[in-house]
Amino acid sequence: MPLIEERRRRWRIAAAVALAIVLIIFVLIVWPDQGKFDAARLLGLLVSATVLIGSAIGLTRWALRRRPPPAAPTDAMIAEAKTAVANLVRRQWTDEARIRALGDPHPMPVAWHLTAKRALMDHPQRIAEQELTFAGNAEDLRALTGQFRALRSRRLVITGGAGTGKTTLAVQLLLDLLATRSSAEPVPVMLSIAGWDTARHRQLGEWLTVQLAATYPTLRATEYGGDAAPAALVEDGHVLPVLDGLDELPEQARAHVITALNASLTDTDQLILTSRTTEFATAVQAAGDVVTGAAVIAPAALTPPVAATYLRTCLPPAPAHDWQPVLAAISAGTAPALATVTVTPLGLWLLRMVYILPGADPAPLLGPLGQDPKALRHHLLDQLIDALIGARPPVSNGNDPFRPRRSWNPSRTRDWLSHLAQALTRNHTRDLAWWTIARYTTTPARRHLLQVAIGLVTGLSSGLMITYALFYGRDTTVPGLGIGLIAGAVTGFRAGGWFYQAPGFLALRIRELFRILPRRLGYGLLIFAGGITAAVLIDDAAAQATGVLNACMRAISTALVSLALLGVPATVLIAWVARMEHPATLASATTAFSAWRADRNLTLARCAAGGGLFMFAYFVFVFVFLFAIELDNRFDYFREFLLYAFLFGGLGGLGAGLLGTLVVGRRHAWLACAITLWTQRRLPRRLVPFLDDMHRLGLLRTVGPLYQFRHAELHDHLAAPGFAHAAAPASGAEDRQRSDRGNGHLS
């Protein structure tokens, strides 16, 4: 937020708070009391004046405070950050390549060459210093990597049709560039370009900085230079962006991206971009320009003999069924559908997953399915979920990256994945971030209803706790419900932002509590003294009133005591939570699953901190209060005092602390996701573990903390209306597994 806007916002808040304080103290000072000024009233006026002056000074300092600009990272810090991001990228994409089985048993033999559509590519002399050539096979990645490094600006656009292996080649190039990288070369980082809004981030570097900080939050650690580290890496040219999926952007946005790329790239900036050929050609035509200095390559279709040879190497030495007729039909082209489907890497992968992996009989492929390419492709996509779930039973320890941690019912899995695909399609994206699930799967009206429900639940619960737990021997129904109403309204209002918050990462340091405790304790005691003094003055004035006025004044007095009790723990909690929510210093949240787990741990730690602080503060207050009112027999009833203090003060403080954790903090993504999933039936309640298992099965892929369907064609197939009820199991084995597993998932 710009400094001017930040200061204006702070002044408005400061003015509102100051006005409220002045009004309260004014009412206390002018309250009629038959002209009497006893010691208690004089003390109250002095404390009130102190609160007013101290609050005015504190609010003014807060409104004028300017955060110093972050110090520029040193060269040593940048070098360490570059090494860190290289290690993170290598680990992330090595695991992803293993899960995608990109080298099992060996890379698919896809040949690549310069595109024949010269209108899609810049002048050859601007691309390469020597004669422009770029040709090779995916089985020889080292040769393709060398040709990429030989380009003048090292810019490459990978085009092709659906399922031709564009993303696969990008991942393979990324890993080989990492494996052969010198210390002076940039680190390749793969990102989904579908998230680039050129209206918000006009320059590639701006968007790249944001994505780098979000995908690899470790880079914002202090040892790398803090929040300035991602920007420094991008600005100094230490990052080679590998941007996947230009075709997934809306048509008009693709042209804007090409224009923004050309405006952002300098002569030394490197780039790898993937896109479907037709969409890229349309974008180039709409932009009126190509990607400056970039070579554009396209795949050659696999020949039927090559496809048959690859499938033969994927079969076990002694397959359960005879594949020779099918392989012969593919080689000879006597089954047109098989010949058409197997000329793409996607078709080969589908055939392998649906028939070879589960050991299914391939005889149906030589029947009517072998004659209709569209029917065969739909059949393979329909059976994919059942085949993968049936062929890869779960393992409890989770060490096998190809096996899920839990068993899942195929029918429910189809329903859930279809619902997700339809929700993403409605929102014009292929990127699934678990913290946006509420926005993608619920309407605004439903989210507002959830806000109201959250406010009602917290308001009623806090009101009842205050009514029955915090005070001894006086009626607290009215103030309890009043405070509960305020707490519910505040919580409900704050809950509206939960659905738009990104996940947080826990950086819990107990010593931070002791650092902030002295200063925050002073603020809290000031609030406590002011609230208690005001309560005493109003309670004293209530003795002179009768009827409804007396009841109202005593209710206000009780409410002020309740709010005063919040002073010390609330000020400490707010400061401590701010320290908790800093990015972690270890590489603990580089995937979607780890980001979900990190935000969950942050929420639980915040609840424990808030509950513990309030529980201790209320326990002490209630014990001292009860101990003080029984002056004659206090030592005789010591155990009873402890019991009441624990039941009333401890439990009441725990409730107040849990309520406080809902209001404070800026990271509630896990909580919003959990509430959304528990209030609807279209998705599993443990969504992220489910997505992680679908990733292990090969149905999903990950790009940093985002999930995507393994192939765009699979996404589109699942998003088609009526898909979930159209599929049937390919063999009786899946039927038996489905009946055994029952509904949902089994632990």
Side-chain angles (χ1 to χ4, degrees):
M1 181 182 294
L3 178 61
I4 296 178
E5 295 182 8
E6 175 70 12
R7 283 190 171 180
R8 288 176 179 173
R9 184 182 70 86
R10 290 182 177 222
W11 273 115
R12 287 195 294 267
I13 296 175
V17 174
L19 180 61
I21 294 174
V22 169
L23 288 176
I24 292 174
I25 295 179
F26 176 77
V27 170
L28 294 177
I29 292 175
V30 303
W31 194 272
D33 194 26
Q34 299 179 359
K36 296 180 180 178
F37 277 90
D38 52 15
R41 178 167 294 276
L42 181 59
L43 177 62
L45 292 176
L46 291 175
V47 173
S48 299
T50 303
V51 171
L52 178 60
I53 296 173
S55 301
I57 295 174
L59 289 171
T60 302
R61 290 184 60 188
W62 176 76
L64 294 176
R65 185 178 61 186
R66 177 178 179 176
R67 293 183 179 178
T74 64
D75 292 341
M77 289 179 176
I78 293 301
E80 291 183 8
K82 186 177 180 180
T83 302
V85 73
N87 292 333
L88 290 171
V89 172
R90 181 183 295 106
R91 183 171 61 187
Q92 172 190 349
W93 287 105
T94 299
D95 294 343
E96 186 66 18
R98 186 182 300 112
I99 290 177
R100 296 189 189 190
L102 299 186
D104 180 24
H106 54 80
M108 290 186 184
V110 181
W112 296 88
H113 55 80
L114 287 172
T115 180
K117 300 179 180 180
R118 294 302 180 179
L120 302 182
M121 190 166 56
D122 206 351
H123 300 289
Q125 61 271 23
R126 299 182 66 179
I127 301 175
E129 296 179 357
Q130 306 294 331
E131 181 182 358
L132 177 60
T133 59
F134 203 106
N137 196 290
E139 292 180 300
D140 187 8
L141 258 298
R142 193 58 48 86
L144 291 176
T145 303
Q147 294 181 68
F148 172 77
R149 286 196 169 105
L151 299 175
R152 183 189 295 272
S153 298
R154 296 186 181 181
R155 296 177 192 168
L156 180 66
V157 179
I158 305 172
T159 63
T164 53
K166 302 179 296 297
T167 301
T168 297
L169 179 62
V171 173
Q172 291 171 325
L173 283 175
L174 177 145
L175 290 173
D176 201 61
L177 286 170
L178 276 174
T180 58
R181 185 182 69 89
S182 66
S183 59
E185 289 183 318
V187 178
V189 177
M190 191 167 186
L191 300 167
S192 174
I193 198 174
W196 185 8
D197 182 0
T198 55
R200 183 177 181 183
H201 302 289
R202 297 184 179 276
Q203 297 291 317
L204 173 63
E206 298 175 4
W207 176 76
L208 201 58
T209 299
V210 173
Q211 294 300 308
L212 201 63
T215 306
Y216 304 103
T218 302
L219 296 178
R220 298 166 61 190
T222 305
E223 54 264 37
Y224 303 138
D227 292 340
L233 285 172
V234 173
E235 292 171 1
D236 294 345
H238 295 304
V239 174
L240 192 169
V242 182
L243 307 179
D244 183 38
L246 177 69
D247 53 279
E248 296 172 3
L249 285 164
E251 182 175 350
Q252 188 176 9
R254 296 180 210 133
H256 293 327
V257 164
I258 291 180
T259 302
L261 282 174
N262 290 333
S264 304
L265 297 173
T266 65
D267 57 347
T268 59
D269 289 333
Q270 305 178 27
L271 174 72
I272 296 177
L273 176 68
T274 73
S275 175
R276 292 187 183 183
T277 306
T278 303
E279 285 78 358
F280 182 68
T282 304
V284 166
Q285 184 178 7
D289 197 3
V290 297
V291 178
T292 304
V296 181
I297 62 174
L302 295 170
T303 62
V306 170
T309 301
Y310 176 79
L311 289 175
R312 186 175 287 108
T313 61
C314 295
L315 288 168
H321 302 280
D322 185 10
W323 275 82
Q324 192 57 39
V326 174
L327 298 178
I330 294 175
S331 297
T334 56
L338 279 175
T340 302
V341 169
T342 55
V343 296
T344 65
L346 173 60
L348 284 177
W349 180 76
L350 287 173
L351 201 63
R352 182 181 173 187
M353 294 299 106
V354 174
Y355 281 93
I356 296 180
L357 179 65
D361 186 0
L365 298 174
L366 297 176
L369 283 175
Q371 306 301 317
D372 186 348
K374 184 177 181 180
L376 177 58
R377 190 175 291 271
H378 278 284
H379 165 74
L380 294 175
L381 291 170
D382 284 342
Q383 303 305 320
L384 181 62
I385 295 174
D386 294 76
L388 287 175
I389 291 178
R392 293 177 175 172
V395 289
S396 57
N397 56 20
N399 293 330
D400 189 339
F402 301 102
R403 304 269 293 277
R405 290 186 173 93
R406 300 167 184 81
S407 296
W408 300 96
N409 177 275
S411 178
R412 296 299 299 274
T413 300
R414 285 197 302 271
D415 289 341
W416 291 332
L417 291 178
S418 177
H419 182 63
L420 283 173
Q422 292 170 5
L424 294 176
T425 300
R426 286 195 303 270
N427 287 274
H428 310 288
T429 183
R430 295 191 187 276
D431 297 334
L432 174 59
W434 60 264
W435 57 91
T436 62
I437 197 67
R439 284 177 278 160
Y440 287 171
T441 61
T442 61
T443 62
R446 185 176 181 85
R447 291 196 293 274
H448 291 322
L449 186 61
L450 285 176
Q451 275 186 261
V452 174
I454 292 170
L456 286 175
V457 171
T458 55
L460 289 175
S461 59
S462 59
L464 290 175
M465 283 185 179
I466 291 172
T467 300
Y468 294 106
L470 299 185
F471 292 97
Y472 181 82
R474 64 187 301 176
D475 183 16
T476 59
T477 303
V478 174
L481 294 179
I483 295 176
L485 179 63
I486 296 174
V490 172
T491 307
F493 176 77
R494 292 278 295 174
W498 296 354
F499 305 109
Y500 302 90
Q501 292 176 351
F505 307 96
L506 176 64
L508 180 60
R509 299 181 181 91
I510 300 298
R511 63 177 180 270
E512 294 288 347
L513 176 62
F514 296 100
R515 290 180 180 177
I516 64 177
L517 190 59
R519 183 173 56 181
R520 295 293 172 174
L521 190 62
Y523 292 156
L525 291 176
L526 192 63
I527 296 173
F528 177 79
I532 293 296
T533 302
V536 170
L537 294 177
I538 293 179
D539 200 59
D540 180 57
Q544 310 298 326
T546 58
V548 177
L549 182 59
N550 177 272
C552 292
M553 292 175 68
R554 289 191 177 277
I556 295 173
S557 172
T558 304
L560 284 173
V561 174
S562 301
L563 295 176
L565 294 177
L566 300 174
V568 175
T571 53
V572 174
L573 177 64
I574 292 172
W576 197 13
V577 166
R579 304 292 179 93
M580 280 185 188
E581 293 184 342
H582 281 208
T585 57
L586 300 176
S588 58
T590 57
T591 65
F593 187 77
S594 61
W596 173 81
R597 187 166 48 195
D599 194 76
R600 179 197 62 186
N601 293 341
L602 172 62
T603 302
L604 296 178
R606 192 168 53 218
C607 290
L613 284 173
F614 278 77
M615 188 175 184
F616 177 75
Y618 276 40
F619 175 86
V620 171
F621 173 80
V622 173
F623 178 76
V624 172
F625 179 78
L626 292 173
F627 201 70
I629 63 174
E630 297 288 347
L631 296 178
D632 296 332
N633 302 313
R634 56 182 181 272
F635 294 106
D636 297 335
Y637 297 99
F638 185 79
R639 288 192 304 174
E640 285 77 1
F641 293 157
L642 282 178
L643 177 61
Y644 285 132
F646 175 76
L647 291 177
F648 296 157
L651 296 181
L654 179 62
L658 295 178
L659 175 64
T661 59
L662 300 179
V663 179
V664 302
R666 297 171 297 171
R667 308 291 180 181
H668 299 83
W670 176 81
L671 192 59
C673 179
I675 292 174
T676 301
L677 296 173
W678 273 88
T679 55
Q680 51 88 37
R681 299 180 180 179
R682 300 295 302 274
L683 291 172
R685 291 176 178 174
R686 292 177 56 83
L687 176 67
V688 177
F690 167 75
L691 296 177
D692 183 63
D693 278 353
M694 295 303 103
H695 177 225
R696 288 167 169 267
L697 287 172
L699 293 167
L700 300 178
R701 65 187 184 189
T702 62
V703 182
L706 303 176
Y707 284 109
Q708 297 174 343
F709 283 92
R710 173 70 179 262
H711 294 281
E713 192 166 348
L714 174 61
H715 181 159
D716 297 336
H717 184 75
L718 291 170
F723 160 78
H725 302 289
S731 67
E734 282 87 2
D735 273 335
R736 290 190 297 273
Q737 289 174 351
R738 183 182 307 175
S739 62
D740 291 339
R741 290 172 188 156
N743 194 17
H745 74 273
L746 302 177
S747 302

